[in-house]
Amino acid sequence: MSVVQIEDVSKHYTLGEQQVQALDGISLSIADGVFLAIAGPSGSGKSTLLNMIGCIDTPSSGSIVINGEDVSGKSADQLADLRARTIGFIFQTFNLLPVLTAAENVEYPLLQLKELSAQERRARVASYLDIVGLSAYAHHRPNQLSGGQRQRVAIARALATKPKIVLADEPTANLDHKTGTDILMLMKSINRRYKTTFIFSTHDRRVMAMADRLVKIEDGRVVLLGVRRAKKWTVIKPSARPEIHAKGDNDES
Ligand code: ADP
């Protein structure tokens, strides 16, 4: 099953008199449970594509279906609700709220889920801080944590709403090599254990090496699709209807 279906999506921005074509006819079908890297040079459209999938921005043309829901035509409130329930975000600069503790940062997106009681929220926060190995740091503020610990808090925050999809924009860009590798391994283990779909934008070869699906974009177009089976990459030409199938081939598990 596809968790993200992108059909012929283009996005242009107007800068003064100039038109910038950030995405140019992208079609992609992203299967549930994949660990997908979106790679490409700076300015190729990676962040724009993530913003479209994350319902932060809308396409100029084309359609996007997230978890069975067509994004076009939804109101800002409906999009916010879809985002809150379906998508978790991880950023390269962590984006934690500095005045809140680690636990409060993880709790923050849960406040939007009105069906959760305060007790359920606290239980969720404790369980996700435990998953990322930070139970002992629940009451620390971001400035009392290392970069790697901050990114772990951000991962717990992204996961606490139990999203179908986690979007990560260059998640290792501000971490040293070892910490970046640890963070990637943590995300990969969560992907395997909970079958959460992870979609990354990256320049980092390690992220690409750990991915089981690869989408390379240049000038807003898909130029290569890769599927890994049994540690071997198969390259698919981005032809008329590129699909990134997953079923039964997440083989390193
Ligand atoms: P990447 O993430 O691969 O570095 P981006 O998606 O950020 O690429 O940008 C793709 C292109 O769209 C670039 O030429 C960038 O300058 C342009 N762009 C992105 N966002 C905006 C914006 N809000 N306004 C104008 N141009 C933008």
Side-chain angles (χ1 to χ4, degrees):
M1 187 208 134
S2 290
V3 73
V4 178
Q5 188 79 40
I6 299 169
E7 294 280 352
D8 202 16
V9 162
S10 293
K11 177 72 181 179
H12 51 79
Y13 295 104
T14 307
L15 274 183
E17 309 248 294
Q18 260 197 330
Q19 289 265 337
V20 181
Q21 185 84 30
L23 298 177
D24 186 5
I26 296 228
S27 294
L28 269 181
S29 170
I30 300 174
D32 202 7
V34 296
F35 204 67
L36 164 72
I38 299 174
S42 183
S44 57
K46 301 183 294 297
S47 302
T48 305
L49 183 56
L50 279 188
N51 289 346
M52 300 287 144
I53 298 171
C55 310
I56 289 171
D57 205 349
T58 50
S60 306
S61 61
S63 80
I64 301 186
V65 177
I66 305 289
N67 200 28
E69 292 196 54
D70 193 338
V71 167
S72 47
K74 284 204 187 294
S75 68
D77 280 356
Q78 288 170 324
L79 282 180
D81 193 58
L82 176 66
R83 231 178 4 242
R85 289 171 191 285
T86 316
I87 301 164
F89 294 91
I90 298 171
F91 305 91
Q92 58 171 287
T93 48
F94 322 130
N95 288 20
L96 300 177
L97 290 165
V99 295
L100 301 184
T101 63
E104 288 164 344
N105 268 286
V106 177
E107 186 181 23
Y108 192 74
L110 298 176
L111 297 171
Q112 278 177 279
L113 307 184
K114 301 291 177 215
E115 67 275 19
L116 291 182
S117 68
Q119 199 183 357
E120 285 167 323
R121 279 201 313 269
R122 278 195 295 274
R124 257 214 222 172
V125 168
S127 122
Y128 282 94
L129 281 176
D130 181 43
I131 287 168
V132 300
L134 283 184
S135 299
Y137 296 85
H139 303 297
H140 287 57
R141 292 218 162 75
N143 67 3
Q144 300 170 310
L145 298 170
S146 69
Q149 288 170 329
R150 289 180 206 184
Q151 197 59 306
R152 283 173 190 269
V153 175
I155 293 169
R157 177 182 60 183
L159 289 168
T161 56
K162 301 192 178 171
K164 290 288 292 175
I165 307 163
V166 171
L167 298 178
D169 197 356
E170 304 261 2
T172 57
N174 286 308
L175 300 174
D176 65 64
H177 190 274
K178 175 168 185 322
T179 310
T181 304
D182 290 347
I183 288 291
L184 282 172
M185 285 170 65
L186 172 65
M187 292 198 274
K188 181 83 189 176
S189 75
I190 290 164
N191 163 256
R192 292 220 186 118
R193 191 159 146 203
Y194 300 101
K195 309 288 176 228
T196 311
T197 305
F198 276 78
I199 305 174
F200 301 86
S201 73
T202 191
H203 282 103
D204 187 338
R205 294 211 150 265
R206 286 170 308 163
V207 181
M208 291 182 229
M210 263 194 216
D212 52 38
R213 299 292 178 278
L214 180 65
V215 174
K216 275 200 178 169
I217 61 174
E218 276 172 27
D219 296 330
R221 296 199 190 113
V222 175
V223 293
L224 182 147
L225 296 169
V227 174
R228 180 163 38 193
R229 294 196 178 90
K231 300 202 170 150
K232 227 179 114 196
W233 282 98
T234 306
V235 172
I236 305 170
K237 287 249 158 63
S239 52
R241 196 184 166 79
E243 300 230 333
I244 309 246
H245 296 288
K247 204 168 180 335
D249 54 21
N250 197 351
D251 334 296
E252 283 180 298
S253 46

